[in-house]
Amino acid sequence: MTMDHWPVLADSEREQWGYSPRQTVGPLGFGTDRQDAVATMEEHGFTAKETAIDRWNPQRAQWRVEFRRTASDERRPAVKCYFVEGVGLTSVLVDGLRGPQVTFRGVRLIGRVPSELSAEMEARALERGEGIWFSLSGDLSWPGLDFDRGAQRAGDTAVSWAVFFRTGEIAGSSWDINPAEVWSHW
């Protein structure tokens, strides 16, 4: 579907990724160094742009690597990865308009109308007898699965994006490990 400045990829046009909490998002493994992540994403047809970003910890450098797959991704990256010196890949932000479709427990997490995604996540949690909780940003999630989601504009509607993370030994929550720019993703 095309919406002038907000073209949203259909699921059939998106690369299909799975998620294993604190281990992998699609082909990317948490803890992987930047060069290996860039090489892995190149194998999947993505190009990379690396940038050093403000440090959240004065003792550790931090980088953002933006990945684009097609010329239509020129305006916005499909995926942003965040790396911390000595730790490797800590977070993967998947864009709701251009990013791959990430599926977890049978639920498609990316590019969805947020209220429909929340309803499906709640129904799945009830079916499985699991709890639900609301993230610091107010979005419904499942406890202990280390991903947060948000909504971004797609013309006159909104679609879901998600950031997947592993805090490891260096942080207590996604708000501690992710740079502030993640929470203003549009």
Side-chain angles (χ1 to χ4, degrees):
M1 124 178 53
T2 300
M3 297 180 175
D4 299 334
H5 298 292
W6 297 283
V8 178
L9 288 178
D11 272 359
S12 61
E13 299 175 71
R14 296 175 188 265
E15 189 162 317
Q16 302 297 305
W17 286 6
Y19 172 58
S20 180
R22 296 172 291 284
Q23 294 177 30
T24 61
V25 179
L28 298 166
F30 290 107
T32 302
D33 69 36
R34 284 190 335 269
Q35 294 76 20
D36 288 343
V38 168
T40 296
M41 292 293 278
E42 283 178 354
E43 291 173 8
H44 288 262
F46 289 86
T47 60
K49 176 183 172 188
E50 297 182 50
T51 309
I53 58 176
D54 289 338
R55 296 175 180 213
W56 60 272
N57 178 326
Q59 286 83 37
R60 297 180 188 259
Q62 190 171 12
W63 297 271
R64 171 193 334 100
V65 181
E66 297 179 346
F67 292 100
R68 290 170 170 79
R69 192 174 61 153
T70 65
S72 63
D73 291 343
E74 181 180 305
R75 286 190 189 162
R76 65 182 315 111
V79 176
K80 291 181 188 177
C81 292
Y82 296 92
F83 299 83
V84 174
E85 180 180 24
V87 178
L89 178 63
T90 58
S91 300
V92 178
L93 188 152
V94 179
D95 185 74
L97 302 176
R98 310 299 309 160
Q101 181 54 263
V102 180
T103 302
F104 181 68
R105 294 187 178 169
V107 177
R108 296 175 301 108
L109 301 172
I110 307 300
R112 305 273 310 272
V113 172
S115 61
E116 293 173 5
L117 175 55
S118 289
E120 184 176 354
M121 289 179 69
E122 182 177 14
R124 292 288 173 109
L126 292 172
E127 284 173 13
R128 298 171 76 104
E130 298 174 334
I132 59 171
W133 65 281
F134 289 88
S135 69
L136 294 173
S137 61
D139 293 299
L140 184 138
S141 191
W142 291 314
L145 296 180
D146 292 347
F147 71 86
D148 285 326
R149 42 183 278 254
Q152 67 191 90
R153 185 174 177 175
D156 289 335
T157 189
V159 295
S160 59
W161 59 268
V163 61
F164 304 87
F165 57 91
R166 183 177 75 181
T167 57
E169 302 294 319
I170 63 172
S173 73
S174 61
W175 286 73
D176 298 331
I177 196 76
N178 290 313
E181 69 183 48
V182 166
W183 309 115
S184 60
H185 183 71
W186 53 271

